[in-house]
Amino acid sequence: MTTGTRLGRAPAHLLVPALLGLVFLLVPLAALVARTPFRGLPQRLTDPVVLDALWLSLWTATAAMAISLVVGLPLAWVLARVDFPGRSVVRVAVTVPLVLPPVVAGVALLSAFGRSGVIGAPLRDLGISIPYTSTAVVLAHVFVALPFFVVSVEGALRATSREYDEVAAALGAGRGRTFFRVTVPMALPGIVAGLVLGWARSLGEFGATITFAGNFPGITQTMPLAVYEALSTDPEAALTLSFIMLVASVLVLALLRERWFGEIAR
Amino acid sequence: MSPALNRRQPGSPAVALLAALALTVTACGGADDGGEGDERRLTVMAAASLTESFTELADRFEAEHEGVEVVTSFDSSATLATQVASGAPADVVATADRRTMQMMADADALAEEPVVFARNVLTLAVPADNPADIKGLADLQGSEFVVCAPAVPCGALATEALRGAGVTTRPRSLEVDVKAVLTKVLLGEADAGLVYASDVVAAGDRVLAVPSPELTEAATDYPVAVTADSGEPDLAQEFVDLLRSDEGRRVLDEAGFSSGEGEDQP
Amino acid sequence: MTAFLDAHVVVRRPEFDLDARLTAEPGDVVAVIGPNGAGKSTLVRALAGLVPLDAGHVTVGGETWDDGAGRALDVRERRTGMVFQRQLLFPHLTALDNVAFGPRSRGVRRSEARRLAQGWLDRLGVGDLAGRRPAHISGGQAQRVSIARALATDPRLLLLDEPLAALDVGVAMALRVELARHLPGVHGVSVLVTHDALDTLTVANRVVVLDQGRVAQVGTPHEVAQEPQTEHVARLMGLNVLRGRSSGTVVRLADGTDLVTATEADGEVNACFGPQAVSLTHEEPVGSARNHFRGTIRSVVPHGSAVRVHLDNPAGLIADVTPASAAALDLVPGRRVWAAVKATEVTVYAVRDLTR
């Protein structure tokens, strides 16, 4: 706002497309809300199947982000800071799941972790079975959301200059201390953005989850799966469920924004 | 079998919204292809399980009717119902259960009482190598099997059949449609699945049907009707007659369907 | 006996080779000057360990930091402090935590590190900014914090890469005074890369002139200012230096023109004179003992109370005139004028061979 007044009015050739974009995003959401039969809302909100699905969605998406943070942050760091042969190939490989249709991602996960999969078969011999479990839901989420996180964080790491790493080293900080005390805090806005992006992607995940984890209430039925199931039998219920999911995710993001972005924006 | 779960008004705005969405997606393959003026066009919308048999029947119909083009559109019965109920340009509509057909009747979208032209019997399907050595419905006890969600017709049938056979083991997944059940069996991610006879035929030799006498009554009826808005009611009726002819029966038999006549239920 | 800092830095780059020797004792402040691309920053980065040596060596206080054959102490194991033109303060830490970062990294306990940091901030006059983040302090204050940060690790080698270049004149002057006060107190050697003659004269006690990757001159600031060996240093010191071959009192310059001087000399010499010794006229000057050149004005800029005029002949000649005469002569870029220098104003000294 302050820059707006100092630099003059925003030009129309930027404002018009910006408004178009905003309207395009908001109109379907507003329409969804407008069509939501609120009569059914109290009943749905007390339906244990819906609550299970909502809870499952929230915790699996969060768990997926925790895993993404643990493996994705170092991966992004390696891509951004370490020169090694084939780095561009690795970078492309990381982004492949972004273009993969989610159902195909689910089949890929089954090929790896399924009963006869490369990892799934030996695991099964040990008595561990991943498909049809909440673990499978988390893995599906990680698979589709990790690329978002890594791309976002790598961008943030590249934007923060390597010189700061050099300063920290000259001050005697080891690589670990430099990573946790300098690199990560400086890239924090990007890391948080990556987490939010990945979390939102997880929350909406459908294809990979239903293919890899199946659909069972309380165990693998996330909100999108519940919505889809309702859609084929009871579209009004589907709308109500979508509305609940929308509100829940907006609430969480708004809370995060207060807590995190407020801090980081300074 | 009492599908009384349906509390929805088919003409509600929500349904119209979804239907409009579905229409835009299917419109590209739909009736607006232009075409020569003297060519007559018959649009048949049918349940996805009818894809192979109706495609062949459409070819035969075209061969028998000079200058007639049959346009087919396949989707889930629920989607078809919402589309036709909101005025999709169909002449003939065939669904995989009575409930969805009733939705269209309630919306005054049909020209006549629907007639049942085929039955699809629930079938116990196993992967070709039958890893869990399933020999009948009772063997599902303790095995890893998948079925449809109870809310969709194949799931309602399956739930009842499992109860009848005394199977108390929880299915690993309640898939949202029958194709998803078949996929799990095809990929070897389930010891068995309950699908329709037509699905086993369509899957070829990668899936085996295990004879299960308990399932003969677990079937869904396929009703067909001419729509109220049909521009070609006579041609439409001829197509319905083809379905009920010996020729039509043969094609449907090959696709795994059984006879629908004389087994009408209220 | 080897010096406390004994460095022979050889770094080969596609653009140029750096091959520079540097020795100094504790308390020395060595100014490194030279034109852009001379290798100043590379020298500093090599001393810090950010750039590996291709040959040569770096020893500090008898400890080998780099033997030029691939065995080198890691950056973090060298006791160096670094100060950059862009302060590179960690934006997410307060001034205090920035300064405490080094001691903390070297194992000092938190409370002790903070006490130490506050002490250094106080000494550099920014103690009251301890709780502020870098975004909320001015450039000059940030540079003080960054100097405090470098000093807080008690470095054996303090490397300052143009620390004042980005600051306003007044701010830079105040900070220059601080540097002059604190650097000789460092328990090691300070190396100050600079573009500013004032830094060299006021802060440093030794000067190393780099030119195209080689050391062109070493000496005290006074020596270098009196007898600059390169045109760059002469310009830096505000002097004109023309190189030529002297025979008696006539120096034949590279372009063939003769410069008459009052000093007898033979061989390769530098002929040096101040800009105020150059007078400018429109008409060709007359008089036997005068040197005169016809040139085109390249630029006219205020310089203190005078106006400094740059000419293209002889290349890079500078002349200081009063504002009044600049206006009277209508000195504007592009105008052709005559420049005259009295023979008695020209200092002549032999070109020294530093290749040894």
Side-chain angles (χ1 to χ4, degrees):
Chain A
M1 272 301 156
T2 47
T3 54
T5 49
R6 226 179 291 146
L7 298 178
R9 277 169 55 90
H13 62 267
L14 290 181
L15 268 186
V16 170
L19 273 174
L20 272 177
L22 188 67
V23 165
F24 178 74
L25 288 178
L26 290 186
V27 163
L29 293 181
L32 179 73
V33 173
R35 304 280 180 168
T36 302
F38 289 100
R39 284 172 286 109
L41 199 55
Q43 179 210 335
R44 304 276 174 219
L45 274 175
T46 50
D47 182 346
V49 172
V50 173
L51 292 181
D52 277 353
L54 188 59
W55 172 239
L56 185 73
S57 274
L58 292 176
W59 85 251
T60 51
T62 307
M65 281 311 98
I67 294 174
S68 295
L69 190 65
V70 170
V71 299
L73 185 55
L75 179 55
W77 181 81
V78 167
L79 286 175
R81 288 287 203 274
V82 183
D83 292 306
F84 61 93
R87 175 159 70 165
S88 51
V89 177
V90 173
R91 191 173 288 132
V92 170
V94 166
T95 49
V96 161
L98 287 178
V99 296
L100 218 56
V103 180
V104 178
V107 174
L109 284 168
L110 280 177
S111 313
F113 299 102
R115 301 200 331 176
S116 49
V118 264
I119 299 167
L123 276 182
R124 197 172 161 80
D125 293 340
L126 297 173
I128 303 167
S129 179
I130 293 175
Y132 311 122
T133 63
S134 302
T135 309
V137 178
V138 175
L139 288 189
H141 287 182
V142 171
F143 191 74
V144 297
L146 187 59
F148 279 90
F149 179 73
V150 171
V151 167
S152 162
V153 173
E154 197 206 333
L157 288 176
R158 288 174 164 277
T160 65
S161 155
R162 242 177 220 235
E163 288 170 300
Y164 287 97
D165 290 8
E166 292 179 357
V167 171
L171 289 169
R175 283 213 129 169
R177 184 175 163 83
T178 303
F179 179 76
F180 286 111
R181 291 301 165 91
V182 177
T183 314
V184 167
M186 288 187 66
L188 201 55
I191 293 170
V192 172
L195 283 178
V196 168
L197 212 61
W199 190 79
R201 176 72 187 80
S202 288
L203 217 56
E205 213 306 306
F206 172 76
T209 309
I210 198 156
T211 308
F212 180 46
N215 176 47
F216 200 91
I219 297 174
T220 62
Q221 188 182 67
T222 55
M223 278 304 268
L225 271 56
V227 168
Y228 186 79
E229 190 183 312
L231 205 54
S232 61
T233 53
D234 189 351
E236 289 204 350
L239 282 173
T240 315
L241 295 187
S242 306
F243 177 76
I244 293 172
M245 195 172 122
L246 194 74
V247 170
S249 40
V250 165
L251 269 179
V252 171
L253 289 180
L255 268 171
L256 277 179
R257 209 172 179 82
E258 276 302 299
R259 275 252 159 136
W260 282 86
F261 293 121
E263 267 290 300
I264 292 153
R266 259 169 285 173
Chain B
M1 198 174 80
S2 63
L5 307 153
N6 182 21
R7 264 174 280 105
R8 167 183 21 79
Q9 314 293 306
S12 79
V15 174
L17 180 77
L18 290 167
L21 196 73
L23 269 182
T24 54
V25 173
T26 50
C28 22
D32 294 333
D33 285 345
E36 306 89 293
D38 55 345
E39 180 147 284
R40 299 167 72 190
R41 171 174 298 184
L42 184 70
T43 303
V44 178
M45 296 177 80
S49 48
L50 294 167
T51 304
E52 292 81 10
S53 43
F54 266 41
T55 303
E56 179 166 358
L57 286 168
D59 285 346
R60 294 187 181 207
F61 193 82
E62 281 178 353
E64 286 162 17
H65 296 77
E66 190 70 28
V68 172
E69 186 197 2
V70 180
V71 177
T72 50
S73 166
F74 301 102
D75 213 320
S76 80
S77 297
T79 307
L80 292 180
T82 49
Q83 287 178 357
V84 171
S86 48
D91 297 299
V92 178
V93 59
T95 62
D97 67 335
R98 291 161 181 275
R99 192 178 57 87
T100 45
M101 187 60 82
Q102 190 57 43
M103 282 168 57
M104 290 182 272
D106 291 346
D108 297 326
L110 303 181
E112 54 178 19
E113 274 297 298
V115 288
V116 172
F117 66 96
R119 302 187 85 203
N120 212 351
V121 179
L122 203 64
T123 303
L124 180 55
V126 296
D129 58 347
N130 197 359
D133 198 22
I134 305 284
K135 295 202 179 65
L137 210 51
D139 287 349
L140 290 183
Q141 183 70 26
S143 77
E144 292 186 15
F145 67 98
V146 290
V147 296
C148 290
V152 294
C154 62
L157 292 175
T159 309
E160 207 169 314
L162 289 172
R163 193 182 302 132
V167 177
T168 55
T169 303
R170 158 178 98 66
R172 303 309 295 264
S173 178
L174 304 175
E175 300 295 338
V176 290
D177 59 45
V178 68
K179 292 286 180 205
V181 175
L182 188 69
T183 303
K184 292 285 195 294
V185 177
L186 276 173
L187 290 173
E189 293 300 333
D191 295 333
L194 286 172
V195 297
Y196 288 120
S198 65
D199 299 313
V200 178
V201 171
D205 53 9
R206 289 181 299 163
V207 167
L208 293 180
V210 175
S212 330
E214 315 90 305
L215 291 177
T216 36
E217 286 311 307
T220 179
D221 293 327
Y222 280 56
V224 63
V226 176
T227 62
D229 293 337
S230 173
E232 296 280 2
D234 295 339
L235 267 182
Q237 189 55 50
E238 280 183 52
F239 190 84
V240 172
D241 292 343
L242 173 65
L243 296 179
R244 295 160 65 86
S245 70
D246 290 345
E247 189 187 6
R249 173 117 315 115
R250 259 197 314 279
V251 172
L252 289 163
D253 279 350
E254 276 167 31
F257 294 96
S258 41
S259 163
E261 246 169 54
E263 292 159 31
D264 265 27
Q265 291 166 314
Chain C
M1 207 201 96
T2 51
F4 177 80
L5 167 65
D6 180 8
H8 179 200
V9 176
V10 178
V11 178
R12 299 192 181 95
R13 285 285 166 83
E15 324 82 83
F16 76 107
D17 283 356
L18 172 67
D19 185 341
R21 289 172 189 277
L22 189 65
T23 58
E25 296 302 332
D28 276 350
V29 179
V30 182
V32 177
I33 58 176
N36 287 331
K40 304 186 297 290
S41 288
T42 305
L43 174 64
V44 162
R45 290 174 64 78
L47 290 173
L50 296 170
V51 172
L53 294 191
D54 289 313
H57 63 270
V58 175
T59 66
V60 176
E63 189 181 23
T64 301
W65 282 11
D66 196 330
D67 66 359
R71 274 189 300 279
L73 276 189
D74 200 58
V75 185
R76 59 187 62 84
E77 292 162 342
R78 302 181 180 202
R79 295 193 57 183
T80 54
M82 292 188 81
V83 178
F84 303 86
Q85 177 178 341
R86 306 193 303 121
Q87 297 89 19
L88 297 178
L89 292 177
F90 303 127
H92 57 289
L93 298 180
T94 61
L96 186 73
D97 287 335
N98 261 285
V99 179
F101 188 91
R104 288 285 292 145
S105 297
R106 295 181 194 275
V108 176
R109 286 186 29 247
R110 181 185 301 270
S111 54
E112 174 65 10
R114 290 186 153 220
R115 201 187 53 74
L116 209 70
Q118 186 64 53
W120 278 109
L121 286 174
D122 291 341
R123 250 164 281 171
L124 280 143
V126 283
D128 53 332
L129 304 177
R132 301 249 196 112
R133 295 234 176 128
H136 298 287
I137 60 182
S138 72
Q141 292 165 336
Q143 196 57 287
R144 283 167 188 258
V145 174
S146 116
I147 291 165
R149 179 173 69 174
L151 290 172
T153 57
D154 189 21
R156 292 295 165 266
L157 196 53
L158 178 63
L159 304 166
L160 306 104
D161 195 351
E162 304 197 33
L164 310 178
L167 304 177
D168 292 342
V169 179
V171 174
M173 185 55 82
L175 200 49
R176 193 170 288 124
V177 173
E178 297 285 349
L179 287 177
R181 177 142 53 114
H182 290 291
L183 296 192
V186 172
H187 299 127
V189 174
S190 300
V191 176
L192 171 68
V193 172
T194 182
H195 262 117
D196 193 315
L198 266 176
D199 292 347
T200 311
L201 293 169
T202 57
V203 180
N205 64 336
R206 291 168 51 72
V207 179
V208 171
V209 181
L210 277 188
D211 194 20
Q212 294 180 344
R214 298 291 185 278
V215 174
Q217 189 172 7
V218 181
T220 66
H222 189 69
E223 287 164 359
V224 173
Q226 288 295 304
E227 300 190 353
Q229 290 284 327
T230 64
E231 194 189 317
H232 174 80
V233 176
R235 199 91 50 73
L236 201 65
M237 298 298 168
L239 298 172
N240 292 299
V241 173
L242 304 176
R243 183 167 291 195
R245 189 156 196 90
S246 179
S247 169
T249 58
V250 178
V251 178
R252 171 148 300 175
L253 303 178
D255 63 0
T257 49
D258 285 343
L259 187 72
V260 182
T261 74
T263 318
E264 287 210 27
D266 284 301
E268 282 291 312
V269 295
N270 287 316
C272 179
F273 49 93
Q276 66 288 340
V278 183
S279 58
L280 300 179
T281 53
H282 282 305
E283 301 301 321
E284 182 172 3
V286 287
S288 55
R290 297 178 79 102
N291 299 298
H292 45 265
F293 315 96
R294 181 130 172 92
T296 305
I297 295 176
R298 282 275 164 259
S299 69
V300 181
V301 290
H303 186 83
S305 59
V307 173
R308 175 156 292 183
V309 181
H310 290 254
L311 297 179
D312 67 344
N313 181 49
L317 188 80
I318 49 178
D320 283 355
V321 297
T322 62
S325 57
L329 289 166
D330 191 19
L331 298 177
V332 292
R335 184 169 291 275
R336 288 179 67 77
V337 292
W338 287 94
V341 184
K342 283 183 188 160
T344 49
E345 299 272 14
V346 181
T347 311
V348 174
Y349 52 93
V351 172
R352 265 183 277 163
D353 183 14
L354 274 168
T355 49
R356 277 174 235 191

